[in-house]
Amino acid sequence: MKWNNDVFKRYMEAGLAVLIVLTLGLAGAAGVLSPRAAESEQTEAAAGDDSTNASQENENKDSVTNPDMAEAQETIADGQYPIMGSSDITVQEMVDYFNASGEVYPAEELSEGGADSIETFCQMYYDEATAEGVRPEVAFAQTMKETGFLQYGGDASIEQFNFAGLGTTGNGVPGNSYPDVQTGIRAQIQHLKAYATSDSLNQECVDDRYEYVKKGSAPYVQWLGQQENPEGLGWATGDNYGYDIVGMIEEMM
């Protein structure tokens, strides 16, 4: 009887050992005994959520702090090009666009007004436009259209430093004259801003025709042409005037 009890006891111990081994194996496979792994997964998931939340917060912050940019990008995508807004254009791109035309920069004439090179000229456009919130490429492309890449030939002459036909009404009327290049550029940009928005000017007004513009009547470049403007207003009467400028902008950028 004693032998049988010893055998039975040994079998019981062996069976218990097997049961413990099986239990440990199953627990390990289920991850019960891997708290560090579970903790790691939870940490990674939390980090992912934080990253997503941070990204969403940044996007929301950009939309709140710069709603005009988001609206402008959406408008451009819909086919209308706003006159006002921030821009990715660089001075060098403006310089390259002029040089690609094959025309010679009139350094002799424009140096008398303070712009002895195309680089200086483009920098003036960039600075004056950004000061008023006007897109530099809009004003610069308009000048290239109005002056034939600074070659003139119309009613206004280069010595007037009038780069967009301000005050020219046809039949030989020469339009406005300005004391230097920068003033002529500023007047043009202020006139563009008058068409684009009812916001006040940031710099002293040098555009003596500013008061005659119906403010905000042409917020888009395409509407600078009177034939394409819903109110029949605009900068010029020529067919597709604003659309031509947009085409030049696309080539420039």
Side-chain angles (χ1 to χ4, degrees):
M1 188 69 177
K2 181 180 180 181
W3 181 88
N4 288 337
N5 286 338
D6 290 341
V7 172
F8 179 76
K9 185 177 180 180
R10 290 177 183 176
Y11 275 112
M12 286 294 293
E13 291 175 349
L16 182 60
V18 171
L19 181 60
I20 292 173
V21 171
L22 290 174
T23 301
L24 292 173
L26 291 172
V32 174
L33 300 180
S34 301
R36 290 185 179 179
E39 181 180 351
S40 176
E41 290 179 359
Q42 292 174 356
T43 302
E44 291 176 0
D49 291 341
D50 290 342
S51 176
T52 300
N53 292 335
S55 177
Q56 291 175 344
E57 288 176 2
N58 288 335
E59 290 178 1
N60 293 336
K61 182 178 179 181
D62 289 342
S63 297
V64 171
T65 57
N66 201 350
D68 291 340
M69 179 180 295
E71 182 180 355
Q73 291 174 344
E74 182 178 352
T75 303
I76 292 174
D78 290 340
Q80 298 288 357
Y81 204 98
I83 292 173
M84 306 296 294
S86 59
S87 171
D88 293 331
I89 193 73
T90 65
V91 172
Q92 189 58 52
E93 285 177 318
M94 295 160 69
V95 171
D96 292 343
Y97 181 65
F98 176 84
N99 289 336
S101 71
E103 300 293 351
V104 177
Y105 180 76
E108 182 178 353
E109 293 86 349
L110 295 185
S111 62
E112 296 182 6
D116 59 351
S117 68
I118 183 60
E119 289 80 11
T120 301
F121 187 78
C122 291
Q123 188 67 57
M124 286 183 178
Y125 263 93
Y126 187 89
D127 292 342
E128 290 294 331
T130 54
E132 290 294 350
V134 172
R135 295 173 184 269
E137 69 271 19
V138 174
F140 188 73
Q142 183 185 36
T143 289
M144 296 301 104
K145 174 177 173 59
E146 287 276 358
T147 66
F149 288 87
L150 301 178
Q151 306 309 301
Y152 284 83
D155 293 332
S157 63
I158 194 170
E159 292 81 11
Q160 294 174 237
F161 306 130
N162 183 344
F163 302 107
L166 284 169
T168 59
T169 56
N171 299 318
V173 177
N176 297 4
S177 295
Y178 302 96
D180 52 46
V181 171
Q182 188 168 16
T183 304
I185 292 173
R186 182 174 298 182
Q188 174 195 355
I189 287 169
Q190 290 179 343
H191 209 66
L192 278 171
K193 186 172 183 177
Y195 274 108
T197 179
S198 59
D199 293 347
S200 59
L201 297 175
N202 297 329
Q203 303 191 87
E204 181 182 355
C205 184
V206 297
D207 172 25
D208 54 8
R209 303 185 64 80
Y210 180 83
E211 61 181 300
Y212 302 122
V213 178
K214 182 179 179 180
K215 306 302 184 291
S217 59
Y220 309 118
V221 179
Q222 288 90 335
W223 290 9
L224 289 173
Q226 293 180 15
Q227 295 187 48
E228 292 75 39
N229 189 294
E231 298 185 53
L233 304 174
W235 194 291
T237 59
D239 185 37
N240 289 321
Y241 177 82
Y243 284 88
D244 289 346
I245 294 174
V246 171
M248 297 174 78
I249 291 171
E250 291 174 347
E251 293 176 0
M252 190 190 317
M253 301 183 68

